[in-house]
Amino acid sequence: MEMVLLTALGVGGATVIGAVLGFVFKKATHKFSDIVLAFAAGVMLSAAVIGLILPSMEYGGEYGIVVTVAGVFCGALCVNLIDKIVPHLHKIAGVSSDEEKHPRQNERLSKILLFVIAIAIHNIPEGIAAGVGFGTDNVGEALTIAFGIALQNIPEGMVIIGPMLAAGISRGRTFFIASMTGVVEILGTLLGYFAVSVSNTILPFALAFAGGTMLYVVSDEMIPETHAHGSERGATYSLIFGFLLMLVFDVLLG
């Protein structure tokens, strides 16, 4: 149990570490921000396909493809529905502005919060996946999964700091919101450990659902944002590098 707690804290803590690093680069130029965001998009694209969708098909058994397709679609649909209500979420961030006077600021803030929500959503099944390994006494596999998750959580934590600060969210609230995405993963790890039988049943759909949220956000939000300031070529190569880096980690940790 002690190892489970330490692993859960490590996985969630990686997001906090990334958030701290994000404060260092908070005044980055548009070009630098686009490059970092594109790198994170590549990491998440790789994580969605290799770490979430493919395992969903593997764990789904005879009906794996059906469960995976349904999960990906539901995940994308869920984020799309969140996108509809997200204009009202600026109140959660503690930023009040006149929508008529600052429509672009509110639109930018809404996209950033949508991005953060999607990260939090996809952290839940990842945490469950790590916890399930411990619940089945397969410690080696659990540690491998947790290490891979922690690696991708660092750039996730980094990339959300600068945009939130630029959107007018206070430093304290920014750090709190970023940290909460890590706390969600800690809870997911503990949930997976204490409910192995249940999580083994829902894990294929949960993984596919998480993958769907990531595919939606990468395509609908992250890639367009990184191509909006004249850094398309650098952003494209940065995305490819992020994708390949996670691919290499997957092979090394596999």
Side-chain angles (χ1 to χ4, degrees):
M1 183 61 191
E2 182 178 347
M3 183 176 293
V4 177
L5 289 173
L6 290 175
T7 302
L9 292 174
V11 169
T15 301
V16 178
I17 293 173
V20 172
L21 293 175
F23 279 103
V24 178
F25 299 100
K26 65 181 182 298
K27 295 183 179 180
T29 63
H30 264 311
K31 183 176 182 179
F32 181 79
S33 297
D34 289 343
I35 296 299
V36 173
L37 186 60
F39 174 80
V43 169
M44 293 177 192
L45 183 60
S46 181
V49 176
I50 300 173
L52 297 171
I53 295 175
L54 293 181
S56 170
M57 295 178 62
E58 180 183 349
Y59 299 150
E62 182 180 358
Y63 301 102
I65 185 62
V66 176
V67 173
T68 299
V69 169
V72 170
F73 180 78
C74 288
L77 181 61
C78 178
V79 181
N80 184 223
L81 293 176
I82 291 174
D83 199 9
K84 299 297 183 183
I85 66 171
V86 100
H88 305 288
L89 293 179
H90 63 271
K91 297 179 181 179
I92 296 176
V95 178
S96 59
S97 60
D98 188 335
E99 190 150 340
E100 294 183 359
K101 294 181 180 180
H102 307 284
R104 291 182 64 85
Q105 179 182 356
N106 282 338
E107 180 182 358
R108 178 181 176 86
L109 181 58
S110 295
K111 289 183 177 181
I112 292 168
L113 292 176
L114 175 64
F115 175 37
V116 175
I117 289 171
I119 290 177
I121 290 174
H122 107 282
N123 281 350
I124 296 174
E126 284 189 352
I128 291 176
V132 165
F134 286 106
T136 56
D137 295 325
N138 193 338
V139 177
E141 180 179 342
L143 290 176
T144 299
I145 294 172
F147 182 63
I149 293 171
L151 284 177
Q152 77 174 64
N153 282 349
I154 293 177
E156 283 181 3
M158 285 182 62
V159 77
I160 61 178
I161 295 299
M164 283 197 288
L165 291 176
I169 305 177
S170 68
R171 291 172 62 90
R173 284 183 182 271
T174 294
F175 184 75
F176 176 77
I177 292 172
S179 298
M180 284 302 98
T181 65
V183 171
V184 166
E185 198 149 21
I186 294 175
L187 297 177
T189 303
L190 297 177
L191 175 63
Y193 176 72
F194 287 115
V196 176
S197 59
V198 175
S199 60
N200 270 329
T201 301
I202 68 171
L203 189 57
F205 182 84
L207 290 172
F209 182 93
T213 67
M214 285 294 96
L215 290 180
Y216 183 96
V217 172
V218 168
S219 176
D220 190 66
E221 303 293 343
M222 298 179 73
I223 292 178
E225 178 66 22
T226 61
H227 285 60
H229 310 109
S231 305
E232 298 88 356
R233 187 66 56 82
T236 297
Y237 280 110
S238 183
L239 183 149
I240 293 173
F241 179 74
F243 184 91
L244 294 178
L245 182 64
M246 285 304 293
L247 180 62
V248 170
F249 276 133
D250 182 71
V251 172
L252 293 178
L253 296 174

